[in-house]
Amino acid sequence: MTKITTALVLSTACLSKVAAFAPPLLQSKQPSSLQLSSSPLDTANKPTELPDSLSDAASIAANACHQLFLTGGPMTRCRVDFDTSIGDETYTTLKSSTEFMQQFVSSLSLACVDGAREQKQQQVMKLVEAKAELREVQEQMDEAAAFSGDDEEVFKESSEQSDLIDKLTQREEELMHIITNDGADPATDSWEGAKVRIYFPDEGSAALARRDWKSEVPSCVEFSSCGGVQVADTSKDAVILFFCPRASEAEFVEEILYKMEEMRGDQLMLTVMVNPLLVDMGVTGFGMAGRRLRERLIDGLVPAYYLRTLQWGALTRVWPQLFTVWQEDENESSGYRLIKAMDRLPSNPEVEDIYDIENGEMSAPSDGFGLLNALGDFVNGMTRL
């Protein structure tokens, strides 16, 4: 009975880990209004709520991208912007959004790639069994190590105990290997299906991900870098993600995007750019070159998810809902109060004006924010991209 109880407890804990990777539609919780809709477009005029946590944000972003694919079909292009730095430049954008990216990629892979969820569940069960067996093995090792005696009969039994300890030690190492890899075994869990590929800005970042992300993302995820010699087999790529692509990688991003769309056709479900910074004064400029790049590569990206924290609140959006501006408010149960909903991304000056108007520090313009639109568009082009 004790062994069964232990296994059930471990199973519950580990299965919750799979649920954490799953998009909201795939988790067993009370469905939101978005999930109950027959079509995501039914929520187009509804304000976007703030996520409960980083993990929740990653799941919501993955679900939005998946819904975009289901609505728009193959070769959908979209973008995800996630910035919780509040202007703190201690870490690079790539570094500060790594944890979000890991969970976002995991959720998106489980939603989009056939067989990924089933393999993850199998790995979780292996992990449950390994933890339960490890406890038994360690108990047996403790009992064997406590055996002692002086006569000849005891000596023979002691020799047998020594052999048993050797076998238990070997099994302990095998179980620890399974647990360390979260139930995954690289030797036997090779992936043969569709793949999700992440392009990092440079080979150094991609190499670190190959080392550190393997236990964090499904087996269908592979890692590449922008530039350099491309030797990876991309013939099974179904989802492509560009993680924090910079202006210096814009040419490569564009080349890979067109190449993969031509090669994979309808087998390419999604292209997602996460925190793209593809226009920069020092590299592409904001003149004709920057404008053409924006028209070819950036303007066609659907903003699937947006979350930016502010000194006094946050700005967010989930496709196809409205952009919303939130202010911290200790009187609200969530800690935030909705102060504005818009059908487009407001510029930085507009966001500050929304805050000032809400708090009585300036009067609302008679024609809304019409007078600020031209300035807002210019500022977006100069700073956001």
Side-chain angles (χ1 to χ4, degrees):
M1 180 65 71
T2 302
K3 294 179 182 177
I4 294 175
T5 303
T6 301
L8 286 174
V9 171
L10 289 170
S11 177
T12 302
C14 292
L15 286 174
S16 66
K17 189 170 185 178
V18 175
F21 284 144
L25 283 174
L26 302 174
Q27 294 185 28
S28 54
K29 64 178 184 180
Q30 291 296 321
S32 66
S33 58
L34 173 60
Q35 296 161 347
L36 289 172
S37 300
S38 58
S39 168
L41 297 179
D42 293 342
T43 65
N45 293 319
K46 294 184 178 181
T48 300
E49 297 289 333
L50 282 175
D52 296 329
S53 62
L54 183 146
S55 178
D56 189 36
S59 293
I60 293 171
N63 184 61
C65 292
H66 187 229
Q67 289 297 322
L68 259 173
F69 159 70
L70 295 178
T71 303
M75 293 191 287
T76 294
R77 300 181 185 179
C78 61
R79 66 183 292 164
V80 169
D81 294 272
F82 179 84
D83 179 10
T84 57
S85 64
I86 319 182
D88 183 0
E89 298 182 357
T90 303
Y91 299 105
T92 63
T93 304
L94 186 143
K95 177 69 174 178
S96 60
S97 54
T98 291
E99 184 179 356
F100 168 84
M101 185 65 174
Q102 289 177 342
Q103 299 191 37
F104 168 68
V105 169
S106 296
S107 295
L108 186 62
S109 300
L110 296 180
C112 293
V113 180
D114 291 339
R117 176 169 298 280
E118 290 73 17
Q119 185 187 67
K120 189 65 181 178
Q121 290 173 340
Q122 291 172 4
Q123 291 173 352
V124 166
M125 293 312 301
K126 286 182 182 178
L127 181 61
V128 170
E129 294 167 358
K131 286 185 175 182
E133 185 181 349
L134 178 63
R135 182 170 298 181
E136 296 176 12
V137 167
Q138 290 175 337
E139 289 176 355
Q140 294 177 37
M141 291 176 66
D142 291 340
E143 293 174 1
F147 182 86
S148 62
D150 296 327
D151 56 35
E152 184 177 349
E153 183 178 349
V154 171
F155 177 78
K156 291 180 180 179
E157 293 182 4
S158 178
S159 178
E160 293 175 358
Q161 291 292 96
S162 178
D163 292 339
L164 175 61
I165 291 176
D166 289 342
K167 292 179 181 179
L168 291 173
T169 300
Q170 181 179 354
R171 183 55 180 163
E172 181 186 38
E173 292 177 355
E174 294 171 354
L175 294 171
M176 289 298 296
H177 177 74
I178 294 173
I179 294 170
T180 300
N181 290 284
D182 283 344
D185 186 350
T188 59
D189 292 347
S190 59
W191 182 259
E192 301 297 334
K195 295 179 180 179
V196 175
R197 186 170 303 280
I198 310 174
Y199 285 93
F200 287 79
D202 53 74
E203 181 54 36
S205 300
L208 286 174
R210 292 188 193 101
R211 185 193 69 184
D212 300 336
W213 289 34
K214 279 299 183 182
S215 62
E216 304 295 333
V217 297
S219 302
C220 61
V221 178
E222 295 196 353
F223 310 94
S224 295
S225 63
C226 294
V229 179
Q230 300 296 309
V231 296
D233 178 12
T234 59
S235 60
K236 294 184 178 181
D237 289 2
V239 177
I240 299 174
L241 301 105
F242 293 95
F243 186 25
C244 297
R246 301 168 299 201
S248 55
E249 288 93 48
E251 184 177 347
F252 175 87
V253 170
E254 190 172 15
E255 178 185 340
I256 287 294
L257 177 58
Y258 292 146
K259 175 184 175 181
M260 292 305 300
E261 287 183 344
E262 180 179 356
M263 183 176 78
R264 296 289 288 150
D266 289 348
Q267 299 302 310
L268 182 63
M269 301 168 64
L270 273 170
T271 297
V272 186
M273 297 193 188
V274 181
N275 288 341
L277 184 63
L278 293 170
V279 176
D280 180 83
M281 177 66 79
V283 181
T284 59
F286 289 102
M288 185 61 68
R291 183 188 306 173
R292 288 177 176 173
L293 175 63
R294 182 171 178 171
E295 290 173 352
R296 293 194 310 268
L297 194 59
I298 301 172
D299 288 347
L301 298 175
V302 179
Y305 186 74
Y306 188 97
L307 177 64
R308 177 162 63 95
T309 54
L310 309 167
Q311 291 285 355
W312 44 264
L315 169 62
T316 189
R317 191 253 184 159
V318 178
W319 180 89
Q321 297 173 256
L322 299 174
F323 286 91
T324 52
V325 183
W326 298 78
Q327 180 179 341
E328 290 182 354
D329 189 338
E330 60 183 14
N331 295 321
E332 296 289 331
S333 59
S334 65
Y336 290 88
R337 172 167 50 90
L338 175 64
I339 61 175
K340 187 72 175 179
M342 306 177 71
D343 60 1
R344 58 179 176 80
L345 175 66
S347 65
N348 291 338
E350 284 180 305
V351 171
E352 294 304 319
D353 286 346
I354 289 169
Y355 174 81
D356 290 342
I357 292 170
E358 177 68 19
N359 291 276
E361 297 179 14
M362 69 174 288
S363 301
S366 58
D367 59 345
F369 288 94
L371 295 175
L372 296 173
N373 283 347
L375 176 61
D377 290 342
F378 174 77
V379 171
N380 273 336
M382 293 291 288
T383 62
R384 181 172 175 271
L385 296 172

